[in-house]
Amino acid sequence: MSGWKYTLAATRAEAEALPDAADLFDDLPSPPTLLVDEPDPDRPDDWLLAAYFDGEPTADVLTRVEALAPSAAGRGTLEELPDDDWTTLSQRGLEPVRAGRFLVHTPAHADAVRPGDWAIDIEAGLAFGTGQHATTHGCLQALDRLAKGRRRRNILDLGTGSGVLAIAAARAWPDAAIIASDIDPVSVTVTRANLVINRVMRGRAAGHIELAVATGMANRRIAARGPYTLVTANILAGPLVAMSREIARAVAPGGDLILAGLLDFQALRVRAAYRRHGLIPKHQHPRGEWPTLVLTRPVRPATRGTTGRRRRQV
Ligand code: SAH
């Protein structure tokens, strides 16, 4: 059976809502594989949505795909894929991504791994985080930089998506105890599969990753395991600011927080929110419009300006 691809232009909001569509096609014997792509960094709002099918899709199914990107008003492009082995085709476009010592690749690109790489095998799928996006890339660079410093024993990856950052942390600190959470149960299912593929054990012990479905920090296990020597949160500026108090609190003295998902013009606001809760900026990885912030909780709280009364001069 030949493969078919249906491509639609999509807005960023539509693309970002796609994980919600995970089970939309569950009634089909062979549900399509959905991928989103941000084609041109200079036009960050113009995304593409591609649906890959086993065999020619019916008009009815195409209409259902079109409903995921209403802005395209049904103007998609349907093409038959030339290759018999089309399932690998959907991943061929996803080139391996290098960020410091990390190499994130799909199974089709396993041959890109070089000795010494911290390789992470992530199947292109519905959960966000194949390393292609600037925010994931920035977080991986930040992890690589922190991994040149001291050991981390207790790590939280909030909004884990495909599990990419949690697995990256396990590569960098193999004996760390890690918990990875997501608000979206599909992400947690995908992450569970990615742990198996990447030979990372699931569980609570050192060297393992525990998984949780949770909204932000509101979870018994996340609370019980804190405070953390490292927290990663690649979400979006709005929720990062809204949750700044809870997230900041979970960072141990001397611990670090990697934040991404914010746009360049939002960095000031996000930094200010976390500074209010005792975290100070350490460094920033500029990746075009999607910077990654690394903040730290000083071992001793910073003193704010001068506190004593000014001595009157006589
Ligand atoms: N960490 C991955 C994925 C980032 S995408 C990476 O760096 O590539 C952001 C993820 O955060 C999504 O999987 C989304 O479901 C999750 N998310 C969004 N809001 C959240 C919240 N309030 N609590 C937990 N997870 C959240």
Side-chain angles (χ1 to χ4, degrees):
M1 197 186 317
S2 65
W4 289 71
K5 179 185 181 188
Y6 191 49
T7 313
L8 284 164
T11 63
R12 184 206 300 238
E14 288 163 349
E16 284 174 351
L18 202 63
D20 298 337
D23 48 8
L24 262 189
F25 296 91
D26 270 0
D27 57 309
L28 300 178
S30 164
T33 301
L34 299 172
L35 291 180
V36 284
D37 191 15
E38 185 189 0
D40 180 355
D42 293 334
R43 301 177 61 189
D45 285 320
D46 299 344
W47 295 56
L48 287 178
L49 187 160
Y52 291 85
F53 302 90
D54 256 332
E56 190 173 358
T58 61
D60 174 50
V61 172
L62 291 184
T63 308
R64 286 168 62 181
V65 175
E66 285 163 2
L68 301 174
S71 66
R75 284 188 304 272
T77 315
L78 181 66
E79 57 190 307
E80 185 174 3
L81 299 172
D83 196 333
D84 277 341
D85 186 17
W86 75 271
T87 42
T88 56
L89 205 71
S90 62
Q91 304 195 348
R92 195 168 292 162
L94 294 181
E95 291 301 319
V97 173
R98 281 195 182 276
R101 284 161 281 180
F102 295 109
L103 178 80
V104 187
H105 66 89
T106 59
H109 284 104
D111 53 355
V113 179
R114 296 200 296 248
D117 282 346
W118 287 343
I120 305 171
D121 187 338
I122 299 285
E123 187 111 30
L126 275 178
F128 185 103
T130 53
Q132 302 282 328
H133 196 262
T135 57
T136 313
H137 195 273
C139 290
L140 290 170
Q141 279 185 320
L143 283 170
D144 179 62
R145 182 165 169 171
L146 291 179
K148 292 177 181 149
R150 61 194 174 77
R151 266 167 69 185
R152 311 288 166 146
R153 291 176 194 278
N154 194 20
I155 300 173
L156 164 66
D157 179 25
L158 192 67
T160 198
S162 62
V164 59
L165 299 182
I167 296 168
R171 294 278 188 263
W173 298 281
D175 57 358
I178 302 171
I179 180 164
S181 69
D182 205 287
I183 196 170
D184 177 3
V186 174
S187 276
V188 173
T189 306
V190 170
T191 299
R192 189 176 301 140
N194 283 333
L195 294 190
V196 175
I197 293 167
N198 286 279
R199 297 171 195 276
V200 180
M201 307 265 271
R202 188 155 59 90
R204 298 180 176 181
H208 292 51
I209 298 180
E210 181 178 1
L211 300 179
V213 178
T215 302
M217 304 296 290
N219 177 274
R220 199 174 46 83
R221 289 295 306 156
I222 295 179
R225 292 182 58 145
Y228 298 90
T229 45
L230 179 62
V231 177
T232 56
N234 177 6
I235 307 186
L236 283 173
L240 287 177
V241 170
M243 297 189 285
S244 56
R245 188 158 177 268
E246 295 78 8
I247 295 178
R249 243 189 211 169
V251 180
D256 294 310
L257 171 65
I258 299 175
L259 293 179
L262 45 131
L263 290 157
D264 203 28
F265 72 91
Q266 298 166 324
L268 208 62
R269 184 158 66 91
V270 174
R271 277 203 304 266
Y274 282 83
R275 194 186 281 273
R276 234 173 279 136
H277 302 296
L279 298 195
I280 56 166
K282 198 169 183 180
H283 40 253
Q284 184 162 332
H285 295 259
R287 284 282 299 177
E289 60 163 358
W290 296 99
T292 300
L293 310 182
V294 182
L295 311 174
T296 193
R297 179 178 292 289
V299 179
R300 249 171 297 153
T303 45
R304 279 215 192 153
T306 46
T307 44
R309 242 185 298 154
R310 229 191 268 162
R311 211 180 285 162
R312 190 158 5 124
Q313 288 213 318
V314 274

